[in-house]
Amino acid sequence: MTIVLGAIADDFTGATDLANNLVRGGMRCLQVIGVPQQEIDLTDIDAVVVALKSRSCPVGEAVADSLAALEWLRQQGARQLFFKYCSTFDSTDQGNIGPVTDALLEALGAHQTVMVPAFPINGRTVYQGHLFVGDRLLNDSGMQHHPLTPMKDADLVRVLSRQTPHPVGLANRAILAKGSEATSAHLLSLAEHGMRHVICDSLDEQDLDVLADATVLMPLVTGGSGLGQALPAQYRAQGWLERITEPGRLSPASGGALVLSGSCSRATLAQVADFLAKYPDGGFALDPLSLSEGDKQWEQALAFALERLSSNAPVLIYASADPERVKAAQAELGVERAGHLVEEALSQLAVTLVNEGVGRLLVAGGETSGAVVSALGITTLRIGEQIDPGVPWTQAPLAVREAPLSLALKSGNFGGVDFFTRAFEVLA
Ligand SMILES: Nc1ncnc2c1ncn2[C@@H]1O[C@H](COP(=O)(O)OP(=O)(O)O)[C@@H](O)[C@H]1O
Ligand SMILES: O=C(O)[C@@H](O)C(=O)COP(=O)(O)O
């Protein structure tokens, strides 16, 4: 059994986002956490997304983990590889998008790939190589304050040029408007001029369809999940996919409901505020400075959650804070330690509370989700109902539970303002 698409995602929420769009495009998709250490059954699976935690780790580690994932996906016979990163191109001058892409291209012996971060339905578009979030340039969208990968430049050709020694090309909207043949010809001419990376404009789904058509035979494509929704139609046109399948149905959810939020993105801050407005006594705020002083705050959070869960009341534990508070904590503790304290606290709460009967868990934040999913020892995720674009419910088998755990991993900036309450209604 061989798969059509093998994807390597640089964080766990991003992986779920891509898997969700592949399912919506009609592929049968499995998400695995890290490179599987044991043989897994891929019967009736068209696409596998390997979720890594490689967005913010040291470059060498990101490259090594991505190459290991590539190797495993090639062993599964993947016809095309997809490197999934954030629709807001989250990275630093050191990487990891550039170095990982370079390493993957080299390992595949490929000469060129496209960079397509756009996810129009969630407001991420690219014009003349500049990334917009809604009507704001990336560097004015809130992403300039991201705790780990602040994005202070919207010009992606310039951003990527700082991450790779190779020249970076552009396929702009005017080219895409001429259709997929003209786009392919443009990519070819850029390749002849040594452009291994091509930032691609995309304003809407039609642009993504053109790009999918122009790139379906490339060994490697890279980008956000928007391209992932456009590719399955091209795989079908190539005769690689047998039939359109229904989006997956998960078994009924059970157990207590819990929201853990470590995301400080604008959308999450609004979702936290909305939850607290509905349930003024329903939230408990963690703070890295208190966490650094010992176990007291963590134990208080646990007691708070247990109490509310025992009365079936909604519960939110959050470290989400505005940029000033995040900066103050980072100034005192350092960026890495502040992040680690929060991730550790939330993931240990997840482990303890799942043992105590939580069966429906919503986690906000990519790094946060990575920490929580790893601590829970989850190895595979099945994709279910979409809550909002880019965020589906998933299910994971867990030794400590008879029924699978229902899990939603929300990217920081995804989801409507009432996401923390509506998600559980979708599941009911
Ligand atoms: N109050 C805080 N102070 C400092 N860092 C924080 C705080 N709250 C959360 N963090 C850290 O910020 C990072 C947020 O990243 P992530 O979980 O990926 O969210 P997003 O999806 O919004 O980018 C995590 O490492 C988290 O631990
Ligand atoms: O492409 C996207 O925007 C998401 O899939 C994603 O990767 C978001 O990352 P986080 O905001 O760090 O969760």
Side-chain angles (χ1 to χ4, degrees):
M1 194 65 208
T2 60
I3 55 173
V4 175
L5 180 68
I8 302 163
D10 69 354
D11 84 343
F12 290 18
T13 42
T16 311
D17 171 19
L18 176 61
N20 179 51
N21 272 359
L22 293 171
V23 168
R24 295 174 76 75
M27 294 183 90
R28 296 161 298 180
C29 182
L30 183 71
Q31 178 171 336
V32 297
I33 308 301
V35 177
Q37 298 304 308
Q38 291 154 358
E39 200 149 312
I40 53 172
D41 181 12
L42 296 180
T43 312
D44 292 336
I45 294 292
D46 304 311
V48 178
V49 180
V50 179
L52 299 179
K53 207 170 182 296
S54 58
R55 185 173 293 174
S56 308
C57 69
V59 177
E61 201 177 311
V63 167
D65 289 353
S66 305
L67 288 175
L70 173 70
E71 180 59 28
W72 184 83
L73 287 165
R74 288 173 92 183
Q75 283 164 14
Q76 314 314 313
R79 288 174 188 248
Q80 187 170 51
L81 279 305
F82 192 130
F83 172 34
K84 161 72 177 67
Y85 41 79
C86 193
S87 62
T88 43
F89 215 76
D90 296 14
S91 51
T92 67
D93 288 354
Q94 286 66 51
N96 292 338
I97 295 176
V100 168
T101 306
D102 281 331
L104 295 175
L105 279 172
E106 199 171 315
L108 286 163
H111 303 299
Q112 190 184 59
T113 188
V114 285
M115 325 291 290
V116 188
F119 191 10
I121 197 167
N122 271 349
R124 274 67 162 181
T125 56
V126 180
Y127 184 64
Q128 301 295 3
H130 288 66
L131 180 47
F132 288 81
V133 178
D135 61 0
R136 312 307 302 167
L137 279 165
L138 176 65
N139 55 302
D140 192 27
S141 68
M143 284 305 296
Q144 70 272 32
H145 301 304
H146 191 279
L148 305 176
T149 48
M151 297 305 292
K152 297 184 174 171
D153 189 356
D155 180 339
L156 297 187
V157 173
R158 205 162 48 198
V159 170
L160 188 62
S161 296
R162 290 193 285 259
Q163 298 180 28
T164 170
H166 302 285
V168 178
L170 174 68
N172 70 13
R173 185 84 201 306
I175 302 284
L176 301 190
K178 292 182 187 157
S180 56
E181 273 179 38
T183 303
S184 297
H186 179 69
L187 292 173
L188 193 61
S189 103
L190 291 177
E192 283 163 5
H193 288 87
M195 308 270 188
R196 289 159 64 88
H197 309 83
V198 183
I199 300 286
C200 297
D201 279 6
S202 357
L203 297 187
D204 51 30
E205 268 77 21
Q206 274 153 318
D207 289 343
L208 292 171
D209 288 341
V210 168
L211 285 168
D213 190 0
T215 60
V216 64
L217 297 178
M218 275 187 171
L220 173 72
V221 292
T222 82
S225 68
L227 184 63
Q229 193 160 356
L231 280 167
Q234 299 302 327
Y235 298 148
R236 266 193 296 282
Q238 295 291 328
W240 297 348
L241 282 184
E242 283 156 29
R243 58 199 154 93
I244 301 173
T245 51
E246 286 288 307
R249 293 248 174 276
L250 303 181
S251 25
S254 60
L258 171 69
V259 183
L260 296 174
S261 177
S263 159
C264 299
S265 296
R266 270 185 197 172
T268 306
L269 295 181
Q271 289 153 355
V272 169
D274 182 77
F275 181 97
L276 295 176
K278 285 178 183 141
Y279 303 104
D281 302 324
F284 187 100
L286 293 172
D287 144 54
L289 290 168
S290 306
L291 290 170
S292 73
E293 286 163 8
D295 292 341
K296 192 166 163 221
Q297 191 180 54
W298 186 88
E299 279 162 7
Q300 286 169 340
L302 176 63
F304 173 87
L306 286 171
E307 158 99 45
R308 285 192 68 87
L309 287 164
S310 68
S311 53
N312 272 335
V315 49
L316 162 68
I317 312 283
Y318 62 102
S320 313
D322 60 37
E324 285 68 39
R325 288 196 33 224
V326 171
K327 273 201 198 99
Q330 290 179 336
E332 183 81 22
L333 301 165
V335 173
E336 209 171 299
R337 177 136 191 264
H340 182 74
L341 281 163
V342 168
E343 290 175 30
E344 186 63 17
L346 291 175
S347 48
Q348 288 316 312
L349 281 170
V351 170
T352 309
L353 291 168
V354 166
N355 274 320
E356 293 291 332
V358 163
R360 294 168 292 155
L361 176 61
L362 196 171
V363 187
E367 294 293 323
T368 311
S369 295
V372 168
V373 168
S374 305
L376 286 168
I378 288 168
T379 53
T380 57
L381 289 174
R382 284 188 52 215
I383 307 298
E385 201 82 12
Q386 175 173 287
I387 308 164
D388 270 333
V391 200
W393 276 107
T394 69
Q395 267 183 352
L398 266 192
V400 294
R401 285 181 55 79
E402 221 169 275
L405 175 73
S406 293
L407 186 65
L409 307 179
K410 190 197 81 72
S411 295
N413 271 312
F414 286 0
V417 72
D418 58 351
F419 191 91
F420 287 174
T421 46
R422 198 167 36 78
F424 295 100
E425 291 160 19
V426 169
L427 194 60

